[in-house]
Amino acid sequence: FCGGVAGLGISLLFVAVASVAVLALRPDLIDIVLERFLWIDQFDASTLGRLQSFDGAWVQFLDNPLLGRYINELSTGFYPHNMILESLMSTGLVGTFFLVAHLLIALYAAFVFMTDRKASFVAVFASVLMIRDLIGVMFSGAIWGNSGVWILTFAVIALWASRQQQAISPATRQVEADRMKPAVARGQ
C-alpha cells in the first residue's frame, strides 16, 4: 500500500512540476486563461451565476465551518455546482472529511487499475468513467443528483477490495478462518 501511495504522490508531484514548467515556458497561457475569465464577465450569464454561487457557498462554509448549515446557496437559492463546495457548505469539515476520504480511496483504486497491465477491462473502464464523472461533478450538478459518481466510486472500490481479497494466499485465508472459529470448534 505504501508503495502505491508513494507512486501516486510522485505522479501528482510530476504533474505539478510539469504544469509549472509549461507555465514558465509559456507565460502567455496565463494571459489566455485570464482573458477567458474576463470574457465570461461580459457575456456568459450561466458561468457568472456559477461563480456567484461558488462565492456564496464559500462564504456560507466560512460562517459554519465545522458542521455546515445550508443545503442550498442562499444568494442563488440553488446548489453551487461543485461537489466539494456543496459538501463544505452543507456538512462542514466533518461531513466533507468522509466525502474526501471516500473519493481518495476511489481515486487510489482507479490509479491502481489504470497503471496495472493485468487489470481487467471492466475495472479500467469503470475507473476512467469514474474520473470523467468526478471532473464533471466539480463543475455541474449536485451531490444528490450525480448517481453515476456514487455508483462508479463504489464499483471501483468494490472491484479493488475484491482484488485485494483475491491476492491473499489460500494458506493465509485458512489461518484467518481458523482464528475466527470459536475456541470449542478449534479443540481448545
Side-chain angles (χ1 to χ4, degrees):
F1 184 77
C2 289
V5 171
L8 180 59
I10 291 169
S11 297
L12 292 174
L13 180 63
F14 174 77
V15 169
V17 169
S19 298
V20 169
V22 166
L23 290 175
L25 294 172
R26 295 271 324 266
D28 60 309
L29 292 177
I30 295 172
D31 292 333
I32 292 169
V33 171
L34 291 176
E35 183 179 313
R36 173 66 178 126
F37 279 118
L38 292 174
W39 183 84
I40 289 170
D41 187 40
Q42 297 172 2
F43 301 106
D44 190 355
S46 173
T47 304
L48 282 174
R50 287 180 194 219
L51 292 174
Q52 177 186 355
S53 185
F54 284 6
D55 186 51
W58 183 251
V59 169
Q60 287 173 219
F61 160 67
L62 293 176
D63 288 343
N64 298 284
L66 189 60
L67 297 174
R69 182 168 178 190
Y70 301 100
I71 293 175
N72 288 330
E73 191 278 317
L74 297 177
S75 70
T76 62
F78 216 50
Y79 52 88
H81 292 284
N82 179 290
M83 179 183 258
I84 302 298
L85 265 177
E86 184 177 354
S87 179
L88 286 168
M89 175 187 73
S90 60
T91 65
L93 292 171
V94 173
T96 303
F97 170 79
F98 294 104
L99 171 66
V100 170
H102 172 78
L103 295 178
L104 288 175
I105 292 167
L107 286 168
Y108 174 77
F111 177 78
V112 168
F113 287 133
M114 292 189 307
T115 57
D116 181 5
R117 292 178 185 258
K118 295 178 184 176
S120 72
F121 173 78
V122 171
V124 173
F125 189 65
S127 297
V128 170
L129 287 178
M130 181 198 75
I131 290 171
R132 182 206 61 167
D133 281 4
L134 282 174
I135 292 169
V137 81
M138 296 304 157
F139 300 101
S140 185
I143 289 176
W144 56 268
N146 284 296
S147 58
V149 168
W150 297 112
I151 291 167
L152 288 167
T153 55
F154 280 106
V156 168
I157 290 170
L159 288 166
W160 177 68
S162 173
R163 177 181 169 163
Q164 295 300 105
Q165 184 64 32
Q166 290 173 358
I168 298 173
S169 72
T172 304
R173 283 191 203 139
Q174 186 59 47
V175 168
E176 290 294 320
D178 289 344
R179 194 168 55 125
M180 299 302 286
K181 291 180 186 175
V184 174
R186 288 186 298 214
Q188 295 177 347

